[in-house]
Amino acid sequence: MDSYHFSSFFLCMITGFLVLIPPYFSTTLASAAAATPQHASEPGAIETGSKNYSKVCDAARFEALGLRKDDFAYCDSSLPYPARVKDLVGRMTLAEKILQLGDRAQGVGRIGLPKYGWWSEALHGIAVTGHATYFGDVVPAATSFPNVILAAASFNESLWKKIGQAVSTEGRAMYNLGHTGLNFWSPNVNVVRDPRWGRVLETPGEDPFVVGRYAVNFVRGMQDVEGTENVQDLDSRPLKVSTCCKHYAAYDLDNWFGVSRLHFDARVTEQDMVETFVRPFEMCVKEGDASSIMCSYNRVNGVPACADAKLLSQTLRNDWQLHGYIVSDCDSVEVMHERLKWLGDTAEDAVGQAMKAGNYCIVGLDLDCGLGNLNYYENYTLSAVAQGKVRESDIDNALKNLYMVLMRAGFFDNIEAYENLGLNDICTKEHIHLAADAARQAIVLLKNNLTLPLDPKKHKDVVLVGPHAKATKAMIGNYEGIPCRYVSPLDSIAKDVRVDYHEGCDVHCRSSRSIRPAVEAAKKAEATIIVAGLGLEVEREELDRNDLLLPGFQTELINRVAEASAGPVVLVIMAGGCVDVSFAQNNPKIGAILWAGYPGQEGGQAIADVIFGRHNPGGRLPLTWYKNEYVDALPMTSMQLRPNDQLGYPGRTYKFFNGTSLYPFGHGMSYTQFSYSRKNDSGIFLPIKVDNHHLCKLPSDKANATVDSHCPSISVDALGCKEEMSFEVDVTNVGKVDGDDVVLVYSKPPKGVADAPLKQLVAFQRVYVESGKTSSVKFSLNACKALNLVEKTAYVVLHSGEHAIVVGDGDSAVSFPVEIELQL
């Protein structure tokens, strides 16, 4: 989505203002606002006449329209939301209804319904992308947190939720000031299948469980209203703001050697769909109560995702019970008609296919987002009804889904707890501190030969080199807002040591001519810090990568500067996707390597804190870092995750990759060392009673056999699945530095189960342990959730036999068996 170019253009228009923003904003934002023009006579979310109002159902607002609020049942707060929405939709003519189906809803003045902009973004802070959000007059900035791929590396669920809470507070404050809507089309929960994908930086990585847990926590942080988190009637549960999990489904290719997301047909097995591609969306809906889902541009097995009845009505609405609306990735309906020419349909056919991607009781696509002035729903639905291709009841159902969400979010009544949020709640010191802490927690130490942390008393003169050494805008990645401030690596490192700065080259690094001054400076310095990597010039929406290498002459820059350096050399990589830095890993002159992702507005401070030892790094890689040869082994268009021996394709992600990586999933070092142990070294035995042998399933590779007295496996849907596995792991800090450790828990299948993952992550916790101390970490896992496998037939099954639980990676890992006995 949705439009990278839209956000880039807007940034260019206001960058001059942006660089003048002072460092701290709790007071300076107010003064900046006072010096700039107001959007209307006074702040407020809903502009009516010459005034702004905080809610639709304001008696004074209706009076200004020449109406009486009490005449409209949709404003009667004593009625349940469904009754109010039914009244609202029932008052509209067919033509009026259709004008509410686009992301810039036109409103109906004669019944008091205002215009509404549905499209805002908040991937890692309130973004400039979208028709409903803007900065520059009353609100000059908002807190910019690390991009998602780096935040995910913290493996800290409470942190993810806190980020969501902070972003939604700023979003709600901006809404009160009339600068954004209540619907934010975030997060991006597509699994990273291929390292070349340009949007890796937007996602939580390659593991569907991690992606799902990130989604649940971020969505809960954004949406939950304190005190109502456990309200069982989801149609009445209020929303702080509304979120949207996207892009559904099997979308992870943008533009690779001419293969475009607008035309790509993702040929996916049902096994991979259930196991990987839709799992985060299921968690987002069922555990996070996401109030919106965005369907993607691509086709899935021949059918456009936004017209796929199985994906939309059957799965989202029936199986998962989505309480919310479905929106198209922008212009997806137009793409179906104009680009794909799917089924040779007319524009009216395309509207009907999308809206009726379900049955006549449950609508498919509710809302059509359009980038330009042509919105297919608004322009072609009336004629589609006239031609008998859409029922008016389909439109009614779509509008009910949309306005139920706005009811829950307080568009009509406001929510008292948030009525007074305003400028002083944006760019607060607490949010700025959280942004810095998030980056610190997430930075990953990839290599360290006793080089880090640097002692600024011993290394007082440092040469700082590289295209990102002075990074500002590059640190915030895409789907970016206007940050409260920028703290570059140069800004922060210069507070600790004397810095001699040399760029060396820009990100593209098309020439080696400017490398020499950096080399000469390195000869004289007591330490060298190189900040290199990728940028939106190389990876972003609509721009996939062709290889995993650093661009241009960056590798030469790093090697020459390292070779000339008189003191220790630290390499910092700023990138979303993985980068093959084998040359640096194998170069003894380069003593340490850090991965800093795109660390947000406070990124420079976080990097300096790690380099100089004020923070002990504890981040872990949320995706495998492959060597560059990986991309030569298979095309990006191959969707299969398991190895394809016939074609010689390796597996994808740590679950199926059968080769050697540069850094594995979960890799991350520390300035200290941790050891694991279990208080109880014995395994776990779980007998599970199966009431009916007909429920037992044979492995799919033995489909023609029959079940005897032994039950080899059973669909988890047929079990109560109440069996729990509880265990404790002692984490001991055996080093000399206090620090955080991420405890990763994997399950491994019984031997002999065909086509199973090598291992799969089932739990994780981040724990702080002081030097010389031990912390006990408790886990309680549902057997069906932790040990299930997805068969080729797409059944999710629990196998009999000896599974294994593995805690940690490498030599420090501990494991124990879990015996599952399915008893007939």
Side-chain angles (χ1 to χ4, degrees):
M1 213 201 95
D2 321 15
S3 176
Y4 170 75
H5 298 301
F6 180 93
S7 61
S8 297
F9 175 77
F10 193 80
L11 272 175
C12 292
M13 296 291 290
I14 57 181
T15 298
F17 171 79
L18 170 64
V19 296
L20 297 175
I21 295 177
Y24 289 97
F25 263 73
S26 56
T27 55
T28 53
L29 271 175
S31 61
T36 53
Q38 300 285 324
H39 178 56
S41 59
E42 57 186 76
I46 301 163
E47 186 175 355
T48 302
S50 61
K51 290 187 176 182
N52 281 17
Y53 299 86
S54 63
K55 58 186 178 182
V56 172
C57 296
D58 185 314
R61 181 181 166 274
F62 273 74
E63 186 176 340
L65 291 168
L67 303 170
R68 289 182 69 253
K69 179 178 77 74
D70 292 345
D71 291 340
F72 297 89
Y74 77 81
C75 279
D76 184 349
S77 59
S78 69
L79 295 175
Y81 290 156
R84 296 174 65 182
V85 170
K86 183 178 180 180
D87 176 77
L88 174 65
V89 174
R91 291 176 180 273
M92 301 182 206
T93 66
L94 175 60
E96 288 169 342
K97 291 174 182 178
I98 290 169
L99 291 178
Q100 317 314 315
L101 294 174
D103 64 285
R104 286 172 279 193
Q106 298 302 303
V108 184
R110 68 176 186 83
I111 63 171
L113 182 67
K115 296 179 180 180
Y116 184 73
W118 287 88
W119 181 12
S120 294
E121 302 274 357
L123 184 67
H124 55 107
I126 306 302
V128 297
T129 314
H131 300 306
T133 303
Y134 64 98
F135 292 88
D137 56 350
V138 177
V139 183
T143 310
S144 181
F145 293 89
N147 228 299
V148 177
I149 191 64
L150 183 66
S154 70
F155 282 85
N156 187 338
E157 296 193 64
S158 64
L159 174 66
W160 300 337
K161 189 171 184 178
K162 286 177 183 177
I163 291 173
Q165 290 168 333
V167 172
S168 60
T169 293
E170 297 198 357
R172 194 85 200 195
M174 287 183 66
Y175 168 76
N176 289 345
L177 295 167
H179 277 248
T180 190
L182 291 167
N183 300 79
F184 295 92
W185 292 348
S186 306
N188 181 339
V189 297
N190 294 114
V191 172
V192 179
R193 171 187 56 91
D194 191 290
R196 291 165 284 195
W197 188 30
R199 302 185 76 168
V200 170
L201 69 161
E202 301 175 31
T203 77
E206 73 180 24
D207 181 82
F209 175 70
V210 174
V211 176
R213 291 308 303 165
Y214 179 91
V216 169
N217 283 279
F218 183 79
V219 166
R220 285 289 186 179
M222 289 281 284
Q223 291 193 165
D224 281 356
V225 175
E226 187 175 355
T228 68
E229 299 91 338
N230 298 316
V231 171
Q232 295 304 303
D233 179 8
L234 299 185
D235 283 336
S236 65
R237 181 193 288 173
L239 301 170
K240 185 178 180 184
V241 298
S242 169
T243 62
C244 175
C245 287
K246 62 184 185 182
H247 313 78
Y248 181 74
Y251 163 61
D252 52 11
L253 179 149
D254 269 65
N255 189 357
W256 182 74
F257 286 109
V259 180
S260 164
R261 62 181 177 172
L262 303 183
H263 305 94
F264 182 55
D265 185 6
R267 292 288 172 173
V268 185
T269 67
E270 288 299 316
Q271 181 183 35
D272 284 341
M273 282 294 283
V274 171
E275 185 177 56
T276 299
F277 293 113
V278 302
R279 187 182 180 193
F281 291 93
E282 181 178 11
M283 295 171 70
C284 193
V285 172
K286 294 169 72 172
E287 300 175 39
D289 184 30
S291 48
S292 175
I293 294 290
M294 177 181 287
C295 54
S296 52
Y297 290 114
N298 58 286
R299 287 171 287 168
V300 180
N301 297 324
V303 182
C306 289
D308 192 324
K310 180 183 176 184
L311 284 175
L312 302 191
S313 68
Q314 178 182 324
T315 303
L316 278 177
R317 298 204 194 275
N318 285 337
D319 296 347
W320 300 346
Q321 293 292 297
L322 171 70
H323 288 260
Y325 67 93
I326 302 172
V327 60
S328 68
D329 203 340
C330 294
D331 291 337
S332 288
V333 181
E334 179 186 2
V335 166
M336 285 167 50
H337 174 232
E338 295 287 346
R339 304 287 187 101
L340 295 179
K341 302 189 184 301
W342 190 56
L343 302 180
D345 281 352
T346 64
E348 289 79 7
D349 290 323
V351 167
Q353 295 283 3
M355 191 172 290
K356 296 191 299 183
N359 54 48
Y360 289 113
C361 295
I362 303 177
V363 74
L365 182 70
D366 300 299
L367 185 68
D368 182 22
C369 174
L371 289 174
N373 294 321
L374 180 61
N375 182 287
Y376 261 49
Y377 268 19
E378 289 185 1
N379 283 275
Y380 296 109
T381 301
L382 190 62
S383 53
V385 172
Q387 295 172 23
K389 295 174 180 179
V390 170
R391 295 185 180 189
E392 187 172 0
S393 60
D394 298 328
I395 299 168
D396 291 348
N397 287 333
L399 292 176
K400 288 173 184 176
N401 290 331
L402 292 166
Y403 284 108
M404 278 294 293
V405 169
L406 286 186
M407 282 283 179
R408 294 172 63 194
F411 180 60
F412 291 88
D413 306 321
N414 215 331
I415 297 177
E416 185 177 358
Y418 309 122
E419 282 183 338
N420 295 320
L421 292 177
L423 203 60
N424 290 334
D425 301 290
I426 303 170
C427 287
T428 64
K429 289 183 178 180
E430 292 79 10
H431 291 175
I432 290 172
H433 174 77
L434 180 62
D437 188 48
R440 278 191 293 264
Q441 288 194 42
I443 288 173
V444 180
L445 180 61
L446 299 174
K447 172 186 177 181
N448 193 23
N449 292 340
L450 301 178
T451 299
L452 290 178
L454 289 180
D455 185 346
K457 295 178 181 178
K458 294 181 179 179
H459 307 288
K460 297 178 181 179
D461 292 290
V462 170
V463 62
L464 183 61
V465 173
H468 288 317
K470 199 178 179 180
T472 52
K473 184 180 174 183
M475 295 192 299
I476 62 174
N478 65 348
Y479 282 84
E480 72 282 23
I482 310 302
C484 314
R485 64 177 189 177
Y486 289 118
V487 182
S488 73
L490 175 59
D491 292 335
S492 296
I493 292 169
K495 294 177 183 177
D496 289 285
V497 293
R498 289 186 292 270
V499 173
D500 184 8
Y501 163 69
H502 295 270
E503 182 183 40
C505 61
D506 62 14
V507 169
H508 283 299
C509 207
R510 293 189 173 98
S511 171
S512 62
R513 289 194 296 268
S514 57
I515 293 176
R516 185 173 179 179
V519 172
E520 294 301 316
K523 293 178 181 179
K524 307 168 188 174
E526 295 174 347
T528 299
I529 300 172
I530 307 169
V531 190
L534 310 180
L536 300 186
E537 305 93 327
V538 178
E539 57 172 353
R540 66 170 189 270
E541 183 175 6
E542 297 187 90
L543 183 61
D544 297 325
R545 297 159 65 195
N546 297 332
D547 58 47
L548 306 181
L549 302 175
L550 288 169
F553 289 90
Q554 278 199 48
T555 299
E556 181 178 337
L557 167 69
I558 295 166
N559 280 332
R560 286 177 59 184
V561 169
E563 183 61 33
S565 296
V569 179
V570 178
L571 173 63
V572 180
I573 296 294
M574 203 176 288
C578 67
V579 182
D580 185 353
V581 289
S582 301
F583 72 93
Q585 177 66 27
N586 299 328
N587 187 340
K589 290 279 287 184
I590 299 174
I593 306 174
L594 291 169
W595 175 61
Y598 296 106
Q601 65 173 56
E602 303 298 305
Q605 185 62 58
I607 290 169
D609 287 344
V610 171
I611 287 176
F612 294 111
R614 289 185 291 271
H615 179 82
N616 184 357
R620 301 290 191 92
L621 290 179
L623 71 173
T624 303
W625 277 39
Y626 302 94
K627 297 178 181 179
N628 189 55
E629 61 199 41
Y630 179 82
V631 302
D632 297 325
L634 77 173
M636 195 173 172
T637 49
S638 171
M639 298 295 293
Q640 183 173 319
L641 280 97
R642 288 162 173 78
N644 187 323
D645 295 333
Q646 275 189 321
L647 297 175
Y649 295 168
R652 295 183 179 277
T653 79
Y654 77 93
K655 295 168 71 171
F656 302 106
F657 180 50
N658 48 354
T660 303
S661 61
L662 175 60
Y663 304 116
F665 172 90
H667 175 72
M669 303 174 72
S670 171
Y671 295 156
T672 190
Q673 301 81 40
F674 298 96
S675 67
Y676 297 160
S677 62
R678 275 188 75 216
K679 292 178 180 178
N680 183 353
D681 290 332
S682 62
I684 295 175
F685 175 68
L686 283 179
I688 300 176
K689 181 67 176 176
V690 178
D691 295 331
N692 189 333
H693 79 276
H694 294 298
L695 299 175
C696 295
K697 294 185 62 62
L698 287 158
S700 54
D701 59 341
K702 299 177 182 177
N704 294 324
T706 57
V707 176
D708 53 21
S709 60
H710 172 65
C711 188
S713 68
I714 189 168
S715 167
V716 298
D717 289 338
L719 290 173
C721 286
K722 295 180 180 178
E723 288 75 16
E724 295 282 324
M725 304 179 295
S726 297
F727 56 93
E728 292 185 33
V729 177
D730 285 341
V731 181
T732 302
N733 186 338
V734 296
K736 298 180 180 180
V737 182
D738 300 345
D740 287 355
D741 183 49
V742 174
V743 184
L744 301 174
V745 180
Y746 301 92
S747 69
K748 287 188 174 182
K751 293 180 180 178
V753 176
D755 226 21
L758 300 171
K759 62 179 180 179
Q760 53 189 354
L761 192 70
V762 295
F764 57 88
Q765 285 191 45
R766 187 180 179 112
V767 58
Y768 177 78
V769 188
E770 294 180 2
S771 174
K773 299 291 181 65
T774 297
S775 179
S776 183
V777 184
K778 298 179 180 180
F779 293 94
S780 184
L781 308 179
N782 178 277
C784 286
K785 290 183 178 180
L787 304 178
N788 75 63
L789 298 170
V790 181
E791 285 276 321
K792 275 189 175 181
T793 59
Y795 268 111
V796 182
V797 301
L798 180 64
H799 278 265
S800 290
E802 186 178 293
H803 301 250
I805 293 293
V806 181
V807 182
D809 293 293
D811 296 337
S812 64
V814 298
S815 64
F816 57 92
V818 177
E819 182 72 26
I820 298 294
E821 184 177 283
L822 299 174
Q823 298 176 342
L824 292 172

